[in-house]
Amino acid sequence: MTIPDFQTIMLPLLKHISDGKIHTVRILKDTLADYLELSDEERQKLLPSGQQTVFHNRVAWAKTYMERAGLLETITRGQFTITDRGREVLNSSVDRIDQSFLLQFDEFRDFKSRDKNDDETTVEKKTEIETPEEALQTAYKQIREDLAADLIYQVKRMTPVFFEKLVLDLMLAMGYGGSQDTAGSLTVAGADEGIDGVINEDQLGLDIVYLQAKRWENQVGRPEIQKFVGALHGKRARKGVFLTTSTFSRDAHQYVETIDPKVVLIDGNRLAQLMIDFNVGVSTAQSYFIKRIDSDYFIED
């Protein structure tokens, strides 16, 4: 048989982890390949990048989508198991799991809501009229959005202390301060008085930026921003950055537009995009170079 698409792999994958044990993609892909009776050639077929097999990639995406829907959960890095919801799905005698099926779950709808302006019909029509370069840009945008969602998911699973360190690493990567040793620092847990970290605005330390980091699920409202501003006044500070894994309310945004000191709000989506842009918590898997004809080369004297 041909290599199944990642949606077709979802149900067999869920069935194979129904024992409640902890599994890894690396081992499970071999078990699934046997179950699907894939040939050696199909198991070894590589993606165009040459960095990963097609089947391993599709198993990983099947896992990711079902995880977003709450059918399975990651225990530790690279290890996952079925959830109670996953067992309920299997007990319902479902004959196929795909994206349409997963849309019944709020978590998956939230995950896919980034594409709410593009329904399936629109995407198909767009694909038909896109040039190859436009199609590549569309694919890049989708990969980046999926990566951003994965980043925030991972960050939310970490401790608040880890998040504060991540924020400091990001500010350093963006060019604030100079080095890890001298540019910034975190405050002592429990004694921050509303400040989670400080960082030099420049390498000479002519001004200081104060940081607040909230690893939250709920929306951050104006009261939290007011507390941060109060802490800034206590430090006679002129600049602050408030970062969260969630979102800010409209009142919070309106409030920071009318106050002194200057406060910048960075929500979860913008945080993930900055992490991608400045290579914090991510690495380059593959680079593609788009080349065109060099017209000058073909000019004869």
Side-chain angles (χ1 to χ4, degrees), residues 25 67 71 98 106 114 126 128 148 171 200 210 244 268 293:
V25 171
E67 187 172 23
L71 305 189
D98 53 23
D106 292 340
R114 301 186 311 277
K126 183 191 297 183
E128 291 175 358
M171 298 297 290
N200 293 332
Y210 288 81
T244 182
I293 291 291

Side-chain angles (χ1 to χ4, degrees), residues 231-251:
L232 293 179
H233 284 308
K235 300 289 186 180
R236 295 184 178 180
R238 297 184 300 167
K239 300 172 183 177
V241 180
F242 197 116
L243 306 96
T244 182
T245 52
S246 60
T247 59
F248 295 99
S249 68
R250 178 178 298 181
D251 284 346

Side-chain angles (χ1 to χ4, degrees), residues 212 214 220 224-225 228 240-244 248 264-266:
Q212 178 67 278
K214 292 292 186 185
V220 178
E224 289 297 323
I225 308 302
F228 181 49
V241 180
F242 197 116
L243 306 96
T244 182
F248 295 99
V264 175
L265 305 182
I266 298 180

Side-chain angles (χ1 to χ4, degrees), residues 8-278:
T8 302
I9 292 172
M10 289 182 183
L11 182 55
L13 190 158
L14 195 63
K15 287 181 176 179
H16 276 77
I17 66 170
S18 62
D19 56 10
K21 296 180 180 179
I22 297 175
H23 297 266
T24 65
V25 171
R26 178 176 299 180
I27 296 177
L28 186 61
K29 71 178 179 63
D30 293 329
T31 303
L32 286 171
D34 292 338
Y35 171 78
L36 295 169
E37 300 180 345
L38 298 185
S39 66
D40 289 340
E41 181 180 359
E42 290 166 337
R43 296 172 193 235
Q44 296 169 12
K45 182 178 180 181
L46 295 175
L47 293 167
S49 66
Q51 301 297 312
Q52 190 181 50
T53 66
V54 172
F55 185 63
H56 183 102
N57 180 264
R58 292 179 181 178
V59 171
W61 276 109
K63 168 193 171 291
T64 296
Y65 273 59
M66 288 197 293
E67 187 172 23
R68 293 294 176 268
L71 305 189
L72 52 85
E73 63 178 342
T74 296
I75 304 301
T76 59
R77 180 180 175 85
Q79 299 182 333
F80 61 97
T81 188
I82 193 171
T83 62
D84 290 339
R85 178 181 289 175
R87 293 189 183 91
E88 291 174 1
V89 167
L90 291 180
N91 291 335
S92 69
S93 300
V94 61
D95 57 4
R96 178 177 170 82
I97 298 176
D98 53 23
Q99 293 191 66
S100 297
F101 177 86
L102 297 179
L103 284 171
Q104 66 183 285
F105 304 112
D106 292 340
E107 299 90 336
F108 190 75
R109 287 199 301 273
D110 291 341
F111 169 64
K112 295 296 291 182
S113 64
R114 301 186 311 277
D115 307 321
K116 61 186 177 182
N117 293 325
D118 289 333
D119 58 27
E120 293 182 3
T121 302
T122 303
V123 171
E124 289 176 1
K125 289 182 178 178
K126 183 191 297 183
T127 303
E128 291 175 358
I129 63 175
E130 283 181 336
T131 67
E133 288 187 1
E134 290 171 337
L136 182 59
Q137 288 293 326
T138 299
Y140 171 78
K141 179 176 179 291
Q142 183 63 58
I143 291 172
R144 186 181 172 102
E145 289 176 347
D146 289 341
L147 175 58
D150 284 341
L151 275 173
I152 292 303
Y153 177 78
Q154 291 295 336
V155 171
K156 286 181 177 179
R157 294 172 60 85
M158 309 306 293
T159 65
V161 172
F162 178 92
F163 182 49
E164 292 175 9
K165 180 180 180 300
L166 182 156
V167 164
L168 189 59
D169 289 342
L170 177 60
M171 298 297 290
L172 289 168
M174 292 171 63
Y176 287 86
S179 67
Q180 182 74 40
D181 295 332
T182 62
S185 63
L186 299 174
T187 56
V188 178
D192 58 14
E193 299 180 346
I195 304 294
D196 288 330
V198 294
I199 192 164
N200 293 332
E201 186 176 26
D202 54 71
Q203 295 192 17
L204 297 179
L206 296 176
D207 205 351
I208 294 177
V209 178
Y210 288 81
L211 309 174
Q212 178 67 278
K214 292 292 186 185
R215 189 184 58 84
W216 278 17
E217 291 286 348
N218 297 328
Q219 188 176 70
V220 178
R222 175 170 172 164
E224 289 297 323
I225 308 302
Q226 288 177 314
K227 292 178 185 177
F228 181 49
V229 171
L232 293 179
H233 284 308
K235 300 289 186 180
R236 295 184 178 180
R238 297 184 300 167
K239 300 172 183 177
V241 180
F242 197 116
L243 306 96
T244 182
T245 52
S246 60
T247 59
F248 295 99
S249 68
R250 178 178 298 181
D251 284 346
H253 282 288
Q254 292 175 342
Y255 174 64
V256 298
E257 292 175 358
T258 61
I259 61 170
D260 189 22
K262 173 68 174 178
V263 174
V264 175
L265 305 182
I266 298 180
D267 62 17
N269 181 62
R270 188 178 179 193
L271 172 66
Q273 299 298 333
L274 289 171
M275 290 176 67
I276 295 171
D277 288 338
F278 292 94

